[in-house]
Amino acid sequence: MDLGGGRNVRPRRPMNTPPGLVGAAVLFWGWQTALLPLAVVAALILEASRLVPWRWHFARAEFDRLADLSTLLLLGAVVYLGLTAGANRAVIGVLQWLPLICLPLVASQALSGGEPIELATLFWTLRRQARREGAARSPGFNLAYPYVALCVLSASAANVRSGAFYVAVCVLAAWALWSVRPRHVSAAVWVGAVLGVSLLGYGGHLGLHDLQQAIEARITEWFEALIGRHVDPFRTTTHIGQIGTLKLGEHIVLRVEPREGRAQPLLREATYNAYHSSTWFAVDSSFAEVPPEGDGATWKLRPATGRSGAMTVSGALRRGKGVLALPGGAFELQHLPAVGLKVSRLGAVKVDEGPAFVSYTALLGPGSSLDGPPTENDLKLPPREAPLLSRVVEDLRLRSQRPPEALATLGSFFRTRFQYAMFVPERTAGPAALEDFLVRSRAGHCEYFATATVLLLRAAGMPARYAVGYSTDEFSRFENRYIVRARHAHAWALAYIDGAWRDVDTTPGEWRSAEAATASALEPFWDLWSWAGFLFSRWRWSEGQGTWAGYLGWFLIPLSAALIWRIYSRTRRGRAGARTDAPERVAARPGADSEFYMVERRLAELGFERAPGEPLTPWIRRIEATRPASITTAPIEPLVRLHYRYRFDPLGVSASDREALRATARSWLASHDAAGVGEALGSKER
């Protein structure tokens, strides 16, 4: 590798892109992916080639090694992200890191003055074919424009859906097209045309986005109807009026770790606002997309007005999709890798295309919740149950009480006059089941209490909703975290009081002990098995702190540094005007005894000195264009090919090829004696 800075050498244009375009594209990528500090360094390196007067000359083999370095970085990123982030997130993560992975090769081309990169450099199979056939490799190309496109593509992988992204892409496109605009068109007309096309493109983008959402919604509904799902944010069927024992599993479904403050007693999954015949529905509950932050794993659900705590919730996502269990007051989710996240106006948070196991941290704070304000649906009563509900409200005098007093009265009513029961005797299904619960049996499970509470609050004039989720009250000293079992599934009411939604749980407290009494004697064994599965899932799907996969990235740093050192330590460095000692500088390297170096020196003696940083092929062609008849260049091109193979091919050359290189060079030297050719040139000039 030569460092040229001679005053007689005209610096070539560093890149074939407009000034600043590559640096701007890199900065745009860093802004979108939250890697701006690295992007600033990369942009300075790439744009520095326009500012410095010197150029590095990289031989073809050196470009090959730099391409191998990028390949190594790519494989390392695939392995590391595959182990720590899962398959879905690994693809997006690798795509986001591609500009840094390709930086060594692109930066080397920029600092070498835009010297073309041959296609075979990027593909090892083409290199191997060229070596096997002994043929010259194909002409090269400049990586600048493909690198700009790669930066835009990688920035899009951050999945930040904002108007600023589209505006920045349009600006970069206009920047790139400005230098090739038609000269007969005025700048004002050209800018107007670009703005018009950009606006039309944005309209088309919104239309395609809406069409994609509609198609995905229909396909999702079809698949969910076909295979079922764990939690439906639009509908839930209760066990009110059914016969038998309500028995849920004892397997662990969630694990909860308080990070700041105390653990919340309830984790909510979904909320419903319409009741009919033992079934709750979510009416007018459209979902809105939540844009991720730059890292693709942080989601701001609502504006933060303070921070009161944090909890980490770990559990499985069926097929990478599902509704999240969240504590009350959640305003931001961290460490949740997913392609998309949506929030309904009833407070349900749904994940699209996430990993099979998630371990997300919910930041908690005061202020407005995720639930939308009350509507007329939150006051509607089922027609057949309305008379019964009105009688109970009149008996308790709830309408004449202030909301806090009414909640206390209702809580005392259920706590003192009702009991929790997992066994439901034979009852009449439908509306009569609720009447039987309120008037005669006065026993039931949480679905009875929650449904009755919501409807009684509505009958008293207070907006209310039905919520489902889990109770978090079993602490495992073995795991040092709360564990949530399937039998901890719970239902309760939400009441709108003083401008905010509040959890109202009127189920008698003994329900927890009643559920715990059903535990199997083998539960500790299954818990141990579940814990082992949790540790494996956390490693597999990358919570990853403290595991060897988390440190894999650090091993790539010394490995990459060693490869870079190997590349640069084996190159030829020199200043302009120091070409005469080239054979001595490479004496210890393979191919240093090539007879081509003598041909090169003889041509320099004849006045055809090779410029610093000038590749061999352009140099030979320059000689052909200006040489006199006394200098023959026909044997030099095959001589260069033999020299390259002898110099750079790891497999070396055969004995016959080595002899051909020696004989061709000596034959040419014998016919181009410096004194004789110089005398012929002098006679011609006279």
Side-chain angles (χ1 to χ4, degrees), residues 411-626:
S412 176
F413 171 67
F414 285 117
R415 186 172 58 254
T416 58
R417 303 186 190 182
F418 291 73
Q419 62 180 354
Y420 181 81
M422 297 177 61
F423 176 75
V424 181
E426 183 175 357
R427 294 174 181 172
T428 304
L434 187 61
E435 180 180 359
D436 182 77
F437 169 70
L438 287 173
V439 177
R440 288 180 288 275
S441 69
R442 297 200 171 187
H445 44 73
C446 61
E447 292 175 341
Y448 282 88
F449 288 95
T451 300
T453 300
V454 172
L455 298 179
L456 288 173
L457 287 173
R458 291 183 178 184
M462 283 181 284
R465 294 171 180 171
Y466 180 86
V468 297
Y470 293 95
S471 172
T472 58
D473 49 49
E474 183 179 347
F475 185 79
S476 171
R477 296 187 181 277
F478 175 71
E479 297 191 28
N480 196 30
R481 58 170 60 90
Y482 289 90
I483 56 176
V484 179
R485 304 180 188 275
R487 67 167 184 261
H488 292 152
H490 195 45
W492 64 94
L494 291 180
Y496 193 75
I497 299 175
D498 296 332
W501 291 99
R502 288 180 50 187
D503 293 325
V504 179
D505 187 5
T506 58
T507 304
E510 63 264 20
W511 80 271
R512 294 177 174 84
S513 58
E515 293 285 354
T518 64
S520 168
L522 296 177
E523 186 175 86
F525 170 77
W526 297 120
D527 286 353
L528 183 62
W529 178 260
S530 175
W531 177 71
F534 164 70
L535 293 180
F536 175 79
S537 297
R538 187 175 64 176
W539 167 79
R540 170 67 178 84
W541 298 103
S542 94
E543 182 176 352
Q545 296 180 358
T547 62
W548 66 270
Y551 300 101
L552 181 61
W554 293 102
F555 289 102
L556 295 177
I557 296 176
L559 189 61
S560 301
L563 183 56
I564 293 174
W565 173 254
R566 178 178 175 83
I567 292 172
Y568 284 91
S569 64
R570 295 181 58 186
T571 55
R572 295 174 289 118
R573 296 182 176 87
R575 298 293 299 182
R579 299 291 301 174
T580 56
D581 60 344
E584 288 74 11
R585 284 183 287 137
V586 297
R589 301 187 58 180
D593 57 343
S594 173
E595 287 74 15
F596 177 77
Y597 291 121
M598 294 187 290
V599 174
E600 183 181 3
R601 285 200 299 272
R602 180 63 52 82
L603 287 171
E605 294 171 359
L606 295 174
F608 297 96
E609 185 176 3
R610 181 181 167 196
E614 185 178 15
L616 291 177
T617 301
W619 176 52
I620 298 302
R621 291 173 182 172
R622 178 166 60 85
I623 297 175
E624 289 178 348
T626 59

Side-chain angles (χ1 to χ4, degrees), residues 123-140:
F123 299 97
W124 185 79
T125 53
L126 295 180
R127 275 188 257 162
R128 183 178 180 183
Q129 180 180 0
R131 292 170 186 164
R132 184 172 58 250
E133 297 176 357
R137 282 159 59 169
S138 60

Side-chain angles (χ1 to χ4, degrees), residues 152-397:
V152 174
L153 177 64
S154 299
S156 68
N159 203 29
V160 180
R161 301 183 181 98
S162 65
F165 176 87
Y166 185 79
V167 171
V169 171
C170 291
V171 169
L172 289 175
W175 196 336
L177 294 173
W178 174 258
S179 59
V180 294
R181 71 189 187 282
R183 299 302 176 183
H184 64 277
V185 178
S186 67
V189 173
W190 187 86
V191 171
V194 170
L195 289 177
V197 171
S198 300
L199 292 176
L200 290 175
Y202 189 68
H205 158 73
L206 293 180
L208 289 175
H209 181 262
D210 292 342
L211 178 62
Q212 178 187 354
Q213 281 190 315
I215 294 175
E216 287 180 351
R218 297 297 179 269
I219 294 177
T220 300
E221 290 175 4
W222 184 80
F223 270 105
E224 288 175 355
L226 180 66
I227 64 177
R229 58 176 300 161
H230 184 62
V231 176
D232 188 343
F234 299 104
R235 172 179 176 174
T236 182
T237 301
T238 69
H239 291 78
I240 295 177
Q242 297 186 10
I243 302 173
T245 301
L246 180 65
K247 182 69 173 75
L248 297 176
E250 59 190 26
H251 61 281
I252 299 173
V253 294
L254 295 172
R255 286 171 166 83
V256 179
E257 299 177 74
R259 298 293 185 181
E260 300 174 14
R262 298 181 178 180
Q264 297 289 322
L266 297 173
L267 296 177
R268 182 164 30 124
E269 288 186 313
T271 307
Y272 308 90
N273 58 358
Y275 180 75
H276 176 72
S277 187
S278 302
T279 300
W280 280 97
F281 300 88
V283 179
D284 296 332
S285 179
S286 58
F287 278 85
E289 292 189 3
V290 178
E293 298 302 300
D295 60 357
T298 300
W299 311 80
K300 292 185 177 180
L301 306 179
R302 62 177 175 87
T305 57
R307 180 165 168 176
S308 59
M311 293 172 55
T312 297
V313 182
S314 306
L317 272 183
R318 188 176 182 180
R319 298 179 180 88
K321 298 183 178 181
V323 178
L324 298 180
L326 294 178
F331 66 85
E332 181 177 319
L333 302 181
Q334 297 178 347
H335 313 301
L336 178 61
V339 173
L341 195 74
K342 298 178 180 179
V343 178
S344 76
R345 64 174 306 275
L346 296 185
V349 178
K350 184 171 64 173
V351 172
D352 289 332
E353 297 299 334
F357 176 87
V358 291
S359 185
Y360 52 92
T361 299
L363 303 186
L364 315 179
S368 61
S369 64
L370 300 178
D371 306 276
T375 66
E376 60 179 10
N377 291 319
D378 301 311
L379 289 170
K380 285 184 178 180
L381 296 174
R384 297 183 61 178
E385 289 92 339
L388 167 67
L389 297 169
S390 297
R391 289 200 307 269
V392 175
V393 168
E394 290 296 331
D395 292 341
L396 296 176
R397 300 178 181 178

Side-chain angles (χ1 to χ4, degrees), residues 10-27:
R10 184 178 64 182
R12 287 171 292 168
R13 188 176 183 181
M15 291 179 286
N16 62 349
T17 53
L21 175 62
V22 177
V26 174
L27 292 176

